[in-house]
Structure formats: structure tokens, C-alpha cells
Amino acid sequence: MPKSSRPNFLLFITDQHRADFLGCYGHPVLRTPHIDSIAARGTAFDRFYVASPVCMPNRSSLMTGRMPSVHGVRSNGIPLSMNAVTFVDLLRDAGYDTALIGKSHLQNFTSWAPIIKRPPPREGFHEPSRGLTQALRHDLADAKYEQETPEYWNAKDARVRTPFYGFDHVTLVRAHGDEPGGDYDRWLEERDPKAKNLLGPNNSLPHSYTVPQAYRTAIPEELYATAFLGDRASHWLDEEAGDEPFFLMVSFPDPHHPFNPPGKYWDMYKPEQFPAPEAFSRNDWTPPALVANIIKERETGKANLTGMNTIGVSARESQEARALTCGMIACVDDAIGRVLAALDRSGKRGDTVVIFTSDHGDHLGDHRLMLKGAEQYQSIVRVPFIWADPQAGQKPKRTEALASTMDIGATVLERAKIEPSSGMQAKSFMSALDGKAARDSVFIQYDHQHASPGTDVPPRVHSLIDERYRLSVFQGTGWGELYDLKNDPGEFDNLWNDSAHAAARARMTEKLLLTELEHIDRVPLPTRRA
């Protein structure tokens, strides 16, 4: 296909953002006019799922079109190998200008030591040399995998070295809240050298919220990270997008904890506008073991309220988290509006596929939980997705076709008429826009270094979701879950041990086994027959 006839792509991706917390999906309180405008021009997917409900694995699946167990980023804490071929590499190879503005999180962005470590050698045993201690030689300790860490950005002239996983231009934020770091720090210094004294919880404004990790940032909305990303993405479209087709990813670190929407967005929504989640009013729900352990951990004062893992919450805390999350989403929506205005100014709107999605969700009080973890409820595995192609003709405004985050790259490549790399496991969902299902199920993998509450086992959970059921199998605990999403959309009745659903469990288990076989790696391709 001639370069001039290839479409541009503008991908907006937010972070901890549930599908049901978006105006175009019918949220009764939240209003997102600019995201709604994307949906009005395209198709919203009602059943779009992550490959993993946590940042690094899912973002790596987005980039590679491969499952976490295959691309190697099974959990947070493992950088994506630069030997991995991404769909952005393929776009760049075909002549596209490629740019990332915002959060990458394909590499570690903390200094925290890993939890899972190689055990010390047994007495009298020889310890292999450093390059031989793992079954696969790798260079993940090399400095090129440190480009999102705070230490790397301590250097005055720090920049992401490009090409970076296929991106020729990178403007980076490397964390969350009002201390996102990366290129944001220099931008902030240029606009107001004194503004750095407003950053962080120690400089926050007083407030009356009780939900953990809520603080009212003193940074004004026009200097907040979301505004920075809207500004830089608009600038790229105004000044740097040339005559070549482009792929621009604008990646917002919000909505995410800490819950700190800036300025007017802090009290744009009130907790009282949000009803308490269903779990707080039901007296017929017995939480599964993992959830019960998390709730007990909070009730006994043992929960880490400042971390990243799932915690139990009260009804009031869930309402507060929802109000503040909607403030962050509204802030993102306004930034998206500025970027879309720049796209219109460029004259390229009619040639640009605009995509909106999110990395994963947040429980936000569902099942009396907040944040995300090994629980595979819809609140964290189902995310919003909109595909708006101005040249596609009449397409459905909504579809219930199943699709996955890892399918995005394959679909972009098909739309650009670029062949995928061998070993890409994704399936283009272009056919779903014409009413033909591309998938009959989605596969989700979750790994984490930190043991689940009540166990000493680092969680490994594999799930399969089809048109009706969600099956999840937990390694090392004996736990299993089966939910009928048609009759129990809130996922309160675990049918795993229900004899009346034994046939459904057996069918889903067999299907999961076949899916596991399907996703065993098929590369490298053979070089001979024998």
C-alpha cells in the first residue's frame, strides 16, 4: 500500500480505568464529552478484556501481541526485552512516524528490590557464573532497561534513548500522582520554577476524605501531569507530525491511586452521587477465600494501605474513591479534547483512526475491595475500548464481540496492511466491526511476586472468559472460580463446586487447557526439518 494512502493512528490509553466508568458506556454520573465524541464516530466494545490486569504484563502484551507467559513479562518487575518485536517496530519499518507521549511502563520505574530471588547455593555446591544462573541468557540488568527508574532521571540531561520499542519520539512520565517524573519535571521547571514545592503528599492541601491514598494536590490543574501530556501531544501534532503516516500513543498515568485530581477536578463529583457497591447491601454473599483474606487483613489492621495491592474498603471509602476517580477521568477527558483539537488543526482527522482504551481496572469498592490483584473480577479485567475509523463507513455503535488488549496491535497492522511478525498470538478484530466474531473466548494471565493474603504462595492465576462464563484457576492454593456472567453479572455466586454446573466447569476447563496449548510459543521458526 502506498504510504500516502495508509491511515494515521492516534491511541489514547488511560491506566486504572474500568469500562463501566466511562460516559459513553452509560455511566449515570460521569460525563466525558470528548471521549464520547470518539465513540460517536466509531464502535465501542462492551466486552473488551486485558491480557493481564496489571501494568507491565498487559502493556507488553499490547506492544507484542503475545501473552505474558510468552513475551516474558509475567508480572510487574520484569522489563520487556528489547529483543521483542513490537507492532510499533513493524509500523516504523513500514515508514510510519512513531511517538509515545506519557507512561510507558515497559521497564521498571521504582528502586524497590524484587521479592522473588534466586536462593543461595547449597553448602558444597558450585554456583554457576552470573550469566548461567537462569535457564535463559538475558541482558535485563543492562543500563538500557533502567530508562524509567528515578536514578536514570536524576541526570540533568536524561532522555529516553530511541528507538524505544519502536518509538522514534518519546516524552515520558514514569510514575503516578503529582510526582510523575521523567520529562514532566523539566516542563514544570520551565513553566514555574517554584511549582516543584507544591508536589507530593507532604505539600498537599487539607481535605476531609478518609479513603486510603487520597490527598489533595497543591499543583494547579494547568500544571498537573495530565495537562502536560495534553500539551505535549498537541505540540507533536502541531509541530512534529510530518508527511509520513504516524502512530501516536498518548498514555495517561491517571486514573490511578493516589487519588489526587487537581484543582476543580477534586470536588467535581461528590461521594454521595455514587451508590455503595452491591456487596455492601447483600447478606447472601460468601466471599471466596482470597477476598475473605483481603477483607480480614484490613479489618485486623494488617493491610498495607500505601501499596499497590488489593485492600479491603468500607462503603464510604468506595464512594470517595469513585468520586475522585471520576475527577481524574474528567481531567483526562479535557486533555483528550485538546489533543483532538490539534488533530483537527492538522487537517488529518479524516485520515486518522482514533482509539481509546485503558490498561486495566480498579475494584473501586466492588466486592468490598479497592485497587487490583489476583482477584479476576470484571471490575479489573474488563476495560473500555473504542475504535473510530473515519474511512470505515457505517459500523455498529456498540458490539459485544470478545476482544483483548493484545489484539490492538494486530488490528492496527491489518488496517495499515502490514503483515504481522511470526509468533504474534493476537487476533485482529476488524471482522467484529462487520458483525463476525474474531474470538470465542479471551485468555487472561496474572502473576505477582507478593504472596496472596492468607497464603505463602505468590499468585499465579489463569482465566478464560467466553460468551457466558468466567473460569479462573489458581496455582498452589486449590482455589477455583466459575461465574455465570449472564445470570450473575456481579460475580457473587461461585459455581466451582456446584454439582449442577459440573458440566460447564468441565467444558471451560477443557477449553482453558486447549487455550494454554494454543499459546505455547511457535517461534523461532524451524531452520531445517531435522
Side-chain angles (χ1 to χ4, degrees), residues 2-13:
K3 291 180 182 178
S4 60
S5 63
R6 283 181 174 161
N8 307 305
F9 297 93
L10 172 56
L11 169 60
F12 294 110
I13 179 168

Side-chain angles (χ1 to χ4, degrees), residues 145 194 220 283-284 298 386 398 436 513:
Y145 293 107
K194 296 181 180 179
N283 57 14
D284 62 344
R298 176 72 191 278
I386 305 166
R398 305 182 79 90
K436 302 173 185 176
L513 173 60

